[in-house]
Amino acid sequence: MIIMGHKSKKSLVHQVKETLQTKLHAGDSKHLDKQSHATGEKIYSYSTLKTYMKHGCAFAKWAKQEYGCKTLADCRQHVDAYLQHRASYCSPFTVKLDAAAIGKTYGESTTNFVHTPSRLRSEVTRSRGEKGMDKHFSEVKNSNLVDFCWATGLRRSEVKVCTGSSLVTCASSPVGLGIHVESGKGGRERIAPLYCDKATAEKIVSMCEQAGDRRIFDRIHSAADIHGYRAEYAQRVYENNARPLDTLLRPEKYYCRNDKAGCVYDRQALQATTNALGHNRIDVAASNYLYNVK
């Protein structure tokens, strides 16, 4: 942890950025680090670093304006007040991100800070309902992108780097094909199975053959609801693998909590969905991607 002395002439914003920059370990395996409990002091991607810098700097600017702080050490005592201030008008998701960024800056667990509101699935608005940006994106004109994302469930960052040679055989896919993701979230490698009809699969094969070793998409429209297609993909993967719940024993079922209490999933199908999405925990798929199943 880097704590600047009072005589430091570096601005608070510079102190935050410098501190977080030292923690960037792009390319390291988060999965392996978790096994050795070594993730606390590391940031694994440039996008996460950028996000943490944005939220960490916002805190530093607030502490300077409200309390005249000049160093990160000065700011530390005001973390709880800042999070409570943010909770008065920001969503629980945003406040949790604030806490994560500040915690990473100080090298501390967020459990050291004041308790912040729980994140409820019912409060998520991303990819739900019609948004203003939807009017600026034509699914007809961008049908290749839509079909590809719908069939593969890839993240936007993963779609960007896909080449024609990313298409591989995949035994877990209904059409026997998948997309090789060399470095997904946390640097994890996986094969995302295609879950689509035969005609869509043939279309994707043609797109990959045309691209060859080049990227399949030169540009991805900023208004494309990639996360929405990913959620539809997750539901399709689950439904294709799910067994009748009334035939399963209790240990074979996954019971949701909090705002999805009462929803039950086939644990085996949920694991297949989680693997396809490139996540580690099945509760993420159950809470954030799937429709209610009771």
Side-chain angles (χ1 to χ4, degrees), residues 25-34 44-45 47-48 155 158 182-189 278 280:
H25 292 264
D28 283 12
S29 172
K30 188 175 183 180
H31 176 66
L32 293 178
D33 283 345
K34 278 186 175 181
Y44 294 86
S45 72
S47 60
T48 300
R155 300 176 176 90
E158 296 168 345
E182 187 173 345
S183 181
K185 188 173 183 179
R188 290 189 294 273
E189 182 180 17
N280 273 338

Side-chain angles (χ1 to χ4, degrees), residues 227-247:
H227 188 76
Y229 304 134
R230 183 168 160 81
E232 292 178 14
Y233 169 84
Q235 188 68 31
R236 204 158 52 254
V237 175
Y238 176 81
E239 291 177 352
N240 272 267
N241 287 278
R243 301 166 293 178
L245 291 175
D246 56 8
T247 67

Side-chain angles (χ1 to χ4, degrees), residues 11-288:
S11 70
L12 272 175
V13 167
H14 185 83
Q15 291 174 44
V16 171
K17 290 183 176 181
E18 187 176 72
T19 300
L20 291 173
Q21 184 69 50
T22 63
K23 301 184 179 186
L24 178 64
H25 292 264
D28 283 12
S29 172
K30 188 175 183 180
H31 176 66
L32 293 178
D33 283 345
K34 278 186 175 181
Q35 295 177 342
S36 58
H37 306 286
T39 60
E41 284 295 310
K42 291 186 177 184
I43 296 175
Y44 294 86
S45 72
Y46 290 98
S47 60
T48 300
L49 174 65
K50 183 178 179 180
T51 300
Y52 280 2
M53 281 185 174
K54 175 184 176 182
H55 287 259
C57 289
F59 162 65
K61 290 177 181 178
W62 176 87
K64 179 180 180 180
Q65 179 180 336
E66 296 295 322
Y67 299 99
C69 297
K70 296 182 179 180
T71 68
L72 287 180
D74 293 339
C75 298
R76 175 61 184 85
Q77 62 184 309
H78 305 299
V79 171
D80 287 354
Y82 178 72
L83 294 177
Q84 290 173 328
H85 165 69
R86 292 280 284 170
S88 67
Y89 65 93
C90 293
S91 74
F93 292 86
T94 301
V95 180
K96 291 291 185 184
L97 185 52
D98 288 332
I102 296 170
K104 190 67 70 173
T105 301
Y106 285 102
E108 295 184 40
S109 168
T110 55
T111 57
N112 292 344
F113 305 151
V114 66
H115 175 72
T116 54
S118 298
R119 297 174 290 185
L120 300 178
R121 182 176 179 274
S122 57
E123 296 173 341
V124 178
T125 58
R126 183 184 184 191
S127 299
R128 294 184 184 172
E130 185 174 347
K131 303 292 188 299
M133 64 167 50
D134 294 339
K135 299 176 182 179
H136 305 291
F137 179 74
S138 169
E139 291 193 332
V140 174
K141 293 181 180 178
N142 295 277
S143 61
N144 282 355
L145 175 63
V146 172
D147 287 346
F148 185 84
C149 294
W150 182 85
T152 63
L154 300 187
R155 300 176 176 90
R156 180 181 291 270
S157 59
E158 296 168 345
V159 176
K160 284 182 179 179
V161 298
C162 267
T163 65
S165 57
S166 298
L167 186 69
V168 296
T169 57
C170 177
S172 61
S173 163
V175 293
L177 297 169
I179 296 294
H180 175 223
V181 179
E182 187 173 345
S183 181
K185 188 173 183 179
R188 290 189 294 273
E189 182 180 17
R190 78 179 190 282
I191 293 179
L194 265 64
Y195 272 81
C196 58
D197 54 82
K198 184 178 179 181
T200 303
E202 291 176 347
K203 181 178 181 179
I204 291 175
V205 169
S206 176
M207 290 162 56
C208 290
E209 289 177 343
Q210 291 179 32
D213 292 330
R214 295 178 291 105
R215 292 187 178 184
I216 300 173
F217 301 101
D218 295 326
R219 176 180 175 274
I220 298 178
H221 200 295
S222 61
D225 187 10
I226 307 297
H227 188 76
Y229 304 134
R230 183 168 160 81
E232 292 178 14
Y233 169 84
Q235 188 68 31
R236 204 158 52 254
V237 175
Y238 176 81
E239 291 177 352
N240 272 267
N241 287 278
R243 301 166 293 178
L245 291 175
D246 56 8
T247 67
L248 305 180
L249 300 176
R250 185 177 181 83
E252 297 178 290
K253 300 177 183 179
Y254 176 85
Y255 295 84
C256 295
R257 300 177 180 178
N258 300 323
D259 61 325
K260 288 194 70 174
C263 296
V264 184
Y265 296 100
D266 175 354
R267 186 177 287 273
Q268 179 176 289
L270 194 56
Q271 185 64 63
T273 305
T274 300
N275 294 343
L277 291 171
H279 278 290
N280 273 338
R281 296 159 30 208
I282 61 175
D283 62 300
V284 174
S287 299
N288 300 329

